[in-house]
Amino acid sequence: MRVSRRSLLLAALTAGVPACAAGGPPAPAELVLATGPDGAVFREVGGALAQALADELPDTRVVARPTGASVENVRLLGNGEVHLGLSSLDPLMGGALLSAEDPNGISAVGRLYDSFLQIVVPADAPVYRVADLVGKRVSFGPRESGTEFTATRLFQLLGVSVEALRMAHAEAARQLAARTIDALLALTGIPTPAITGLLGSFPVRLLDLPGEATELAKAYPGPYVPVTIPATTYGALGPCQTFAVPNLLLARTALDQAVVEVVTRTVYTQSERIAAGHPEASRINVRTGIATGQVPLHKGAERWFRSVKR
């Protein structure tokens, strides 16, 4: 009988895992975490989480896998190619893969922090709202990213047609400074490394999006919340009205409950280490961890949250 690669991957994920020692934490041979692209907070927070997990599971090879971000991470989880992955909430809404019971499904370890949509343009550009970008060259982030998903949804809702390009945020920042693109969009935590890297070397502005944020929240109730990026985030750029989307850490439902319990404990007891240097990511905490929207908690995560007095 021929066995498919997918079947082998799923069998590996559902297999029981040995313990490091009697009563000790489980120790799978490998744990793969899908993160994000260059210049995004997912990449940095995911890398820090992988290091923390490696310390908690010393007999496990923990791998932080760079990706395009949310949409790719959900696809990789669905295919059984990774064990854990970061994603913004909006690509998950209505997802058929979401299940805390089906071993082929995806469930949540917990809510982490929020991503903010940021539209960056040269300071001298005659662009003051999304409608001013008609016909211009705009980076929608990497392919299969949360930025691409949300940007596409927003621009279609507003009826604004642009030349949408796909690239990592760091590359988009370089091209914006070279004036080979007219704007970059980034749906990620703040401050965003790619944007911070422009400050002091190339004058830029953030577009205020008060009306656009309201329209998106009305059209797609649930994941989008109008917010203001604080004035302290990027110094001279000042405050900016936009919208935020919650980010979740996801797991294959097939992943052993004891492993996910260790992952959950690590996320919420070592949040300061994981979020170091990222003020928005510092909001990771046990009180909001279970607020995962329609995404069900993994049984291992549920077990850990029940054991903690909040």
Side-chain angles (χ1 to χ4, degrees):
M1 180 179 69
R2 183 179 179 183
V3 180
S4 69
R5 178 172 178 270
R6 175 179 171 81
S7 297
L8 288 171
L9 285 165
L10 293 178
L13 285 171
T14 55
V17 292
C20 294
E30 185 174 74
L31 198 62
V32 183
L33 166 63
T35 62
D38 187 20
V41 176
F42 268 11
R43 172 78 69 90
E44 299 191 3
V45 168
L49 173 57
Q51 291 176 8
L53 289 173
D55 290 343
E56 292 294 316
L57 298 166
D59 295 328
T60 297
R61 179 173 178 261
V62 182
V63 179
R65 176 170 171 172
T67 65
S70 297
V71 176
E72 182 178 359
N73 293 351
V74 172
R75 177 174 61 79
L76 293 172
L77 283 162
N79 290 341
E81 295 181 52
V82 300
H83 305 85
L84 303 165
L86 298 162
S87 178
S88 52
L89 179 61
D90 49 340
L92 294 162
M93 301 294 284
L97 289 173
L98 302 180
S99 175
E101 307 294 340
D102 183 354
N104 295 323
I106 298 171
S107 45
V109 174
R111 179 172 176 165
L112 301 181
Y113 61 95
D114 293 347
S115 281
F116 292 67
L117 185 73
Q118 301 156 87
I119 303 182
V120 187
V121 298
D124 58 2
V127 176
Y128 299 96
R129 56 195 182 114
V130 172
D132 295 334
L133 291 170
V134 169
K136 296 191 180 297
R137 297 159 298 176
V138 180
S139 171
F140 273 25
R143 292 191 182 280
E144 294 193 288
S145 65
T147 299
E148 179 191 43
F149 180 91
T150 306
T152 300
R153 172 175 279 185
L154 175 65
F155 278 64
Q156 287 179 347
L157 176 67
L158 300 175
V160 175
S161 178
V162 300
E163 183 182 346
L165 305 170
R166 272 71 178 181
M167 63 189 77
H169 300 318
E171 176 59 24
R174 287 190 287 269
Q175 291 206 27
L176 188 71
R179 294 187 183 269
T180 54
I181 63 173
D182 300 295
L184 76 83
L185 274 72
L187 180 71
T188 182
I190 55 174
T192 301
I195 298 173
T196 302
L198 287 170
L199 303 181
S201 62
F202 182 72
V204 295
R205 285 185 289 109
L206 291 171
L207 296 190
D208 277 310
L209 308 170
E212 294 89 341
T214 300
E215 286 190 51
L216 192 64
K218 287 181 179 178
Y220 299 96
Y224 305 111
V225 180
V227 295
T228 297
I229 296 175
T232 55
T233 304
Y234 296 115
L237 295 189
C240 176
Q241 298 178 72
T242 183
F243 59 86
V245 183
N247 293 314
L248 309 182
L249 177 61
L250 305 172
R252 289 278 309 172
T253 297
L255 187 57
D256 188 274
Q257 291 185 27
V259 176
V260 177
E261 189 169 5
V262 171
V263 172
T264 312
R265 184 188 71 223
T266 302
V267 169
Y268 294 100
T269 62
Q270 298 191 40
S271 58
E272 289 186 10
R273 170 185 177 182
I274 293 165
H278 299 288
E280 185 59 28
S282 68
R283 296 189 182 188
I284 298 172
N285 69 81
V286 68
R287 294 179 183 84
T288 58
I290 61 173
T292 57
Q294 73 175 71
V295 185
L297 281 174
H298 190 286
K299 297 297 184 182
E302 190 176 284
R303 189 163 69 189
W304 185 81
F305 280 115
R306 283 178 176 170
S307 73
V308 176
K309 293 183 179 179
R310 292 186 295 279

